[in-house]
Amino acid sequence: MPDKTQQQQQKTKELKVFSAQVITLDQIRNDSRKLRLLFAISTLKEVSEKGLAYMVQYLKEERKIDMGYNIVKLGNKLIVRELPDDIKALLYVGLIEVDPKTKKLRLTSNGQEFLEKISKNEDIDNFIKVVDELRSKIVVIDEEVSLTALPTERKRR
């Protein structure tokens, strides 16, 4: 009898294996999409993932600047397919971080140093100006994200 109880109490653990491509700083330096994303985060100081998604859409629809992302709208939801992967890559190499309180993305000191070493061309300067012009629209979306992220106790007060 004790053998059966020991078998029932014995738990198994599953090992989940996933593969991810290793990203280096050189790969980011040569990837214009990730570089532009980095410059956008730098220009906006702090931004949510949702704010970045809307920024990509505004750039494509209003300013005719295609960053190379596939944009899908499902009802009121905006999906930018490759954006989460690019954000993960930038987080992985330590160029950006997530603010624990606001859940917004911002540059790290390594990210600042990395961007200072990148030689800006006219294309990048124009991109930064356009992102700065869109800041007011993106801030509104970020505030909406901040309000929905508040704990329910704060909302009631």
Side-chain angles (χ1 to χ4, degrees), residues 30-46:
N30 297 326
D31 187 342
S32 64
R33 190 169 73 186
K34 288 182 184 73
L35 266 182
R36 284 183 173 200
L37 191 60
L38 209 54
F39 276 112
I41 294 170
S42 173
T43 304
L44 297 169
K45 306 295 183 225
E46 276 192 340

Side-chain angles (χ1 to χ4, degrees), residues 101 149-157:
K101 290 182 182 177
L150 284 176
T152 52
E153 277 184 31
R154 283 188 172 165
K155 288 182 185 178
R156 291 180 191 156
R157 290 183 185 171

Side-chain angles (χ1 to χ4, degrees), residues 106-133:
R106 62 183 178 200
L107 282 184
T108 61
S109 56
N110 290 343
Q112 290 282 356
E113 290 175 21
F114 180 79
L115 284 183
E116 288 170 4
K117 292 177 185 175
I118 302 290
S119 58
K120 293 183 185 175
N121 56 26
E122 188 177 325
D123 186 39
I124 292 291
D125 286 335
N126 289 337
F127 178 77
I128 291 171
K129 286 177 189 173
V130 171
V131 170
D132 199 36
E133 291 169 9

Side-chain angles (χ1 to χ4, degrees), residues 28 30-31 55 66 70 78 82 123 134 139 145 149 154:
I28 289 174
N30 297 326
D31 187 342
M55 180 203 70
D66 188 4
N70 293 320
L78 180 69
E82 300 87 0
D123 186 39
L134 292 173
V139 166
V145 169
R154 283 188 172 165

Side-chain angles (χ1 to χ4, degrees), residues 1 7 13 21-22 25-26 72 77 81 107 130 140 152:
M1 282 301 227
Q7 287 175 352
K13 292 184 180 183
Q21 187 176 3
V22 176
L25 290 175
D26 286 333
V72 178
K77 189 163 184 170
R81 292 202 174 152
L107 282 184
V130 171
V140 172
T152 52

Side-chain angles (χ1 to χ4, degrees), residues 32-33 36 56 60 65-71 80-83 86:
S32 64
R33 190 169 73 186
R36 284 183 173 200
V56 169
K60 189 171 187 174
I65 298 174
D66 188 4
M67 288 183 64
Y69 291 107
N70 293 320
I71 300 171
V80 181
R81 292 202 174 152
E82 300 87 0
L83 185 62
D86 285 354

